[in-house]
Amino acid sequence: MFADMVWPALILEQRIVSVIPITAGLAVEWLVLRFGGFGLSWRKAAIVDVVMNAASTLAGIVVIPALGLLWEFVPGLVLHKFLNLGTFNPSTWAATFVMAVLATTAIEAAVVRWGFKISLDKRRFLILCLANGVSVGIACASLWVRPPKL
């Protein structure tokens, strides 16, 4: 079996921590922190951006593959059984995308809230989710543009 079919989160994690998604994520989140209702100066937004992304990268290296593996053993298997889907289907990739966005956002939101004492409401959390969706989306797209060699 191929690892990209069995454990998509592990393959996606490699792309999330590559240059283009990281650069795009830093740029988008810097703009979001400056103009997205957080009330931060350019300098403060840059500092928060770098710190929260460093934290989510370090934690995400373990958390994202772990969530993907958990998906394969719990809801993924249940979903496959009830919908008669094969083990290797788009729902696993969609779930991996959503889990990666939510995991990185949760980590970054914790840094923003507790590390920098910036209040977070649902709107700000959603804005961070959308910003994280850009970098995770770029990483996902890169898998189709240039599939991993196994």
Side-chain angles (χ1 to χ4, degrees):
M1 295 214 178
F2 296 109
D4 65 330
M5 293 182 202
V6 175
W7 200 356
L10 187 60
I11 301 299
L12 179 61
E13 180 59 33
Q14 294 172 349
R15 295 295 173 93
I16 289 173
V17 295
S18 61
V19 173
I20 294 173
I22 287 175
T23 304
L26 284 168
V28 168
E29 290 175 355
W30 186 34
L31 293 171
V32 160
L33 289 167
R34 176 67 177 104
F35 297 115
F38 290 84
L40 301 178
S41 67
W42 283 109
R43 183 178 182 277
K44 182 74 171 189
I47 293 167
V48 172
D49 188 21
V50 169
V51 172
M52 74 182 195
N53 276 285
S56 71
T57 298
L58 290 174
I61 289 170
V62 174
V63 171
I64 292 170
L67 288 172
L69 188 59
L70 184 64
W71 169 263
E72 288 298 325
F73 286 110
V74 184
L77 289 179
V78 172
L79 180 67
H80 301 313
K81 180 174 176 123
F82 286 117
L83 297 178
N84 287 330
L85 297 173
T87 304
F88 315 121
N89 66 76
S91 71
T92 300
W93 282 98
T96 300
F97 173 81
V98 170
M99 286 186 293
V101 170
L102 291 176
T104 56
T105 303
I107 295 161
E108 291 176 6
V111 169
V112 168
R113 183 173 181 193
W114 291 301
F116 289 95
K117 307 293 187 233
I118 299 168
S119 67
L120 280 178
D121 54 14
K122 288 179 186 177
R123 180 182 169 277
R124 285 181 175 174
F125 187 83
L126 179 60
I127 289 170
L128 286 177
C129 273
L130 294 172
N132 275 297
V134 170
S135 57
V136 174
I138 290 170
C140 283
S142 76
L143 292 169
W144 278 268
V145 171
R146 203 168 54 153
K149 295 184 185 202
L150 303 173

